[in-house]
């Protein structure tokens, strides 16, 4: 089992727990994900944060930006400025399945994102 957490975020992976092997959470909320959902989230977050990083040099210091990404069952958004941003996620699977919505404020969003990328080979 891997358990990572910091102020305002949590991330845990336990391959023995099926079908929900991954737990994500923020202040006052948590949700369990399947391995496939967690891997899809990891890839989508990496792409969205990469898009933000690619635009940082084009933003003025006081300029704000919001980027959204919809991929498969996930919708994500980052909102902030050059230095820090909030991350919002929504899982909207097929009918009859559970849905999830959560967010992390800055700087918890950056810490959660780094931790999620560390699990790249796990889930």
């Amino acid at each position: 089992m891997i358990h990572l957490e910091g102020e305002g975020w949590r991330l845990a992976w336990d391959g023995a727990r099926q079908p929900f092997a991954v737990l994500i959470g923020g202040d006052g909320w948590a949700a369990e994900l399947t391995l496939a959902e967690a891997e899809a989230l990891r890839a989508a977050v990496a792409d969205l944060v990469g898009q933000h990083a690619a635009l940082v040099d084009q933003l003025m210091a006081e300029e704000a930006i919001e980027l959204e990404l919809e991929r498969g069952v996930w919708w994500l958004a980052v909102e902030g400025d050059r230095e820090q941003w909030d991350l919002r996620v929504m899982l909207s699977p097929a009918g009859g399945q559970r849905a999830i919505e959560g967010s992390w404020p800055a700087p918890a969003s950056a810490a959660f994102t780094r931790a999620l990328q560390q699990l790249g080979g796990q889930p």
Side-chain angles (χ1 to χ4, degrees):
M1 176 170 181
I2 296 171
H3 183 86
L4 305 167
E5 68 180 289
E7 189 170 334
W9 67 275
R10 289 192 301 160
L11 177 62
W13 176 72
D14 184 352
R17 287 185 45 107
Q18 295 298 326
F20 302 109
V22 178
L23 177 120
I24 62 172
D27 280 337
W29 70 274
E32 294 179 319
L33 306 177
T34 66
L35 293 174
E37 290 166 344
E39 176 56 27
L41 176 62
R42 187 195 63 75
V45 166
D47 288 349
L48 188 59
V49 170
Q51 289 177 23
H52 179 270
L55 294 172
V56 164
D57 291 339
Q58 300 173 30
L59 298 175
M60 293 186 286
E62 67 281 353
E63 193 172 8
I65 188 170
E66 181 173 357
L67 299 171
E68 296 180 7
L69 175 69
E70 191 168 344
R71 181 176 297 153
V73 296
W74 287 104
W75 175 89
L76 303 91
V78 294
E79 183 176 2
D81 57 27
R82 295 172 53 115
E83 301 297 323
Q84 55 185 351
W85 35 267
D86 299 342
L87 173 64
R88 291 180 294 154
V89 298
M90 288 191 326
L91 172 70
S92 301
Q97 300 290 321
R98 78 215 185 296
I100 298 166
E101 183 173 352
S103 65
W104 297 268
S109 56
F112 171 78
T113 298
R114 285 190 299 274
L116 187 60
Q117 295 313 306
Q118 291 176 7
L119 291 183
Q122 306 300 319

